[in-house]
């Protein structure tokens, strides 16, 4: 008599591997149009192996294997980013960005994988004292614009100054703008331009000193440092290197205007996101000019609450200094609805001194070179 025993139902190695990948982050691939930044690709493949062993049945197959593959959602094509052209005369186009921006949402895993997402790890913040004079360090915020000296927190992230001017004309609640570069191009003078150093290489560093001086002379209310050092596709720098380079380029301006730490993503990968910021602050040991921290956030609209946990974690990692949210957008759904949901809360967060939605560009806050899209109208008009 032969007995058939089911001896194993195991998820093969692929399950564990991809569960980790799922938990850790998403790869967002920038399209040829650099404004279409946040197309992304996520692959889920769960493979189960079922092995049956038939006891004593020597002439039958000892084991049978069955593979089940689930795939959600369908992958999308990726396209490389356009190269930058930056000059201190012309409006600074985007710096060289590799095709991939790593962004993580701290989101629960789908039920078929049954692993819980790791929390964004935040180490205890180290004691960091800004070397900038008290005049530029954090004060209690008093409503829109906080202590930044701006009339409102809302900003315009742009590459095309013409579009930024049109948007600024419609958005009475927008007081400032930035373009990831150090030169505003033809941005209207009534919009406060905040220069960004972006990276620790040419052409950024040669243009920085004089562009930052000009911006401050024109009334810039802050300076932004490197862009997403925790992202290999962006400024990509170790916290220790970034601390040294940030100090080198920002110290001449300490005490003149508030200076932001390098911006970070909301990646939950080891060494990225909040972890990167914590390590940066630690490497600074109180000696870097940092008056506020600068963060980015992307996730699906249903995880909008993680925007606020990210801001909170950054505030803590930044030794309770103010925060600027200089890129954010939902990866799906109705952007206008998302903005209506999150903006009142952003406005009410005292430690948040500035925010700019990603971004004033076609198919984002604009629907053409001259017209605001429907989310653009929401962003421009919300009180
Ligand atoms: C890049 C910038 C670019 C912007 C808009 C940012 O992530 O760092 O170089 O201008 O996206 O495309």
């Amino acid at each position: 008599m032969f007995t058939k025993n089911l001896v194993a139902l195991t998820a093969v190695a692929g399950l564990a591997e991809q569960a980790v990948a799922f938990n850790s982050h998403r790869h967002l691939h920038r399209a040829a149009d650099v404004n279409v930044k946040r197309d992304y690709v996520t692959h889920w493949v769960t493979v189960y192996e079922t092995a049956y062993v038939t006891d004593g049945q020597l002439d039958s197959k000892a084991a049978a294997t069955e593979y089940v593959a689930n795939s959600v959602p369908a992958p999308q094509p990726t396209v490389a980013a356009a190269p930058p052209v930056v000059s201190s005369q012309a409006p600074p186009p985007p710096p060289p960005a590799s095709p991939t921006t790593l962004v993580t949402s701290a989101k629960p895993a789908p039920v078929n994988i049954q692993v819980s997402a790791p929390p964004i790890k935040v180490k205890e913040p180290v004691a960091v004292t800004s070397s900038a004079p008290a005049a530029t360090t954090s004060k209690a915020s008093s409503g829109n614009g906080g202590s930044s000296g701006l009339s409102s927190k809302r900003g315009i992230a742009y590459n095309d100054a013409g579009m930024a001017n049109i948007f600024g004309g419609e958005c009475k609640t927008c007081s400032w703008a930035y373009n990831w570069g150090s030169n505003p191009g033809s941005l209207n003078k009534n919009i406060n331009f905040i220069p960004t150093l972006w990276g620790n290489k040419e052409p950024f560093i040669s243009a920085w000193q004089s562009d930052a001086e000009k911006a401050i002379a024109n009334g810039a209310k802050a300076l932004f440092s490197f862009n997403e050092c925790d992202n290999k596709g962006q400024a990509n720098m170790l916290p220790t290197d970034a601390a040294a380079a940030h100090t080198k380029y920002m110290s001449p301006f300490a005490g003149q205007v508030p200076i932001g730490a390098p911006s970070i993503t909301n990646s939950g990968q080891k060494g990225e996101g909040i972890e990167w910021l914590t390590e940066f602050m630690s490497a600074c040991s109180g000696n870097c000019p940092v008056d506020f921290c600068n963060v980015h956030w992307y996730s699906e609209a249903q995880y909008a609450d993680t925007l606020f946990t990210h801001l909170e974690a950054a505030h803590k990692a930044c030794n309770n200094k103010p925060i600027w949210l200089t890129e954010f957008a939902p990866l799906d759904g109705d952007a206008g609805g998302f903005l209506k949901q999150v903006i009142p809360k952003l406005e009410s967060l005292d430690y948040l001194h500035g925010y700019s939605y990603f971004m004033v560009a076609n198919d984002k806050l604009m629907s053409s070179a001259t017209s605001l899209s429907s989310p653009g109208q929401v962003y421009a008009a919300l009180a």
Side-chain angles (χ1 to χ4, degrees):
M1 192 169 119
F2 304 111
T3 318
K4 210 175 201 182
N5 297 320
L6 176 67
V7 296
L9 172 61
T10 43
V12 294
L15 171 58
E17 198 179 283
Q18 77 85 3
V20 169
F22 176 85
N23 279 333
S24 55
H25 69 233
R26 286 155 190 276
H27 295 254
L28 305 189
H29 297 271
R30 184 162 310 133
D33 170 1
V34 289
N35 296 336
V36 187
K37 177 180 180 186
R38 303 294 167 183
D39 296 334
Y40 66 99
V41 175
T42 306
H43 303 268
W44 283 274
V45 178
T46 304
V47 181
Y48 295 95
E49 181 183 49
T50 307
Y52 298 92
V53 173
T54 305
D55 192 11
Q57 193 172 2
L58 299 175
D59 57 348
S60 74
K61 260 170 66 178
T65 303
E66 180 188 339
Y67 292 95
V68 182
N70 304 324
S71 185
V72 251
Q76 298 179 6
T78 63
V79 192
V85 185
V86 175
S87 101
S88 61
Q89 299 309 315
S98 83
T100 303
T101 290
L102 304 181
V103 176
T104 298
S105 52
K107 57 166 287 184
V111 282
N112 67 324
I113 292 181
Q114 296 194 341
V115 282
S116 53
I120 292 178
K121 284 180 228 127
V122 186
K123 292 178 198 154
E124 278 309 300
V126 290
V128 173
T129 314
S130 170
S131 59
T136 64
T137 52
S138 167
K139 286 182 239 154
S141 171
S142 52
N144 282 355
S147 64
S148 65
L150 291 163
S151 59
S152 73
K153 297 181 182 188
R154 198 166 305 161
I156 295 173
Y158 71 98
N159 284 153
D160 180 320
M163 277 193 198
N165 291 337
I166 287 167
F167 196 88
E170 296 292 318
C171 179
K172 305 303 170 211
T173 52
C174 291
S175 65
W176 64 276
Y178 90 111
N179 61 357
W180 292 269
S182 56
N183 184 305
S186 55
L187 186 73
N188 284 344
K189 295 278 179 284
N190 65 346
I191 307 174
N192 197 273
F193 175 71
I194 299 188
T196 307
L197 172 53
W198 204 93
N200 182 25
K201 57 188 173 192
E202 296 299 354
F204 314 113
I205 52 177
S206 309
W208 178 246
Q209 177 84 19
S210 73
D211 281 354
E213 279 167 8
K214 269 184 231 151
I216 292 172
N218 287 331
K221 297 291 188 203
L223 297 181
F224 294 155
S225 181
F226 304 123
N227 190 70
E228 297 187 355
C229 293
D230 61 322
N231 179 346
K232 294 191 173 42
Q234 297 284 314
N236 187 27
M237 293 165 76
L238 292 173
T240 43
D241 294 343
H246 170 95
T247 301
K248 177 173 172 193
Y249 295 109
M250 293 296 172
S251 289
F253 306 104
Q256 298 185 40
V257 289
I259 294 170
S263 63
I264 53 156
T265 68
N266 58 316
S267 167
Q269 279 282 70
K270 192 161 169 36
E272 297 177 1
I274 298 294
E275 265 196 25
W276 190 95
L277 179 61
T278 303
E279 285 164 25
F280 170 83
M281 295 299 271
S282 172
C284 281
S285 349
N287 297 316
C288 303
V290 169
D291 297 298
F292 63 89
C293 287
N294 185 342
V295 309
H296 297 167
W297 178 92
Y298 297 89
S299 190
E300 289 80 358
Q302 64 179 309
Y303 304 113
D305 57 325
T306 68
L307 167 58
F308 298 96
T309 49
H310 184 52
L311 293 174
E312 195 64 39
H315 183 45
K316 235 178 125 188
C318 195
N319 205 26
N320 296 320
K321 289 174 193 279
I323 300 297
W324 285 59
L325 173 65
T326 56
E327 285 187 32
F328 72 107
L331 294 173
D332 61 4
D334 160 32
F338 170 84
L339 286 168
K340 284 183 195 153
Q341 183 192 344
V342 303
I343 284 190
K345 209 161 166 200
L346 295 178
E347 286 291 336
S348 73
L349 272 184
D350 273 356
Y351 63 76
L352 186 73
H353 284 193
Y355 62 82
S356 49
Y357 184 81
F358 187 90
M359 65 180 279
V360 170
N362 249 334
D363 297 328
K364 301 265 189 298
L365 293 178
M366 301 292 282
S367 57
S368 75
T370 51
S371 316
L372 276 64
S373 64
S374 126
Q377 286 166 16
V378 171
Y379 189 71
L382 271 175

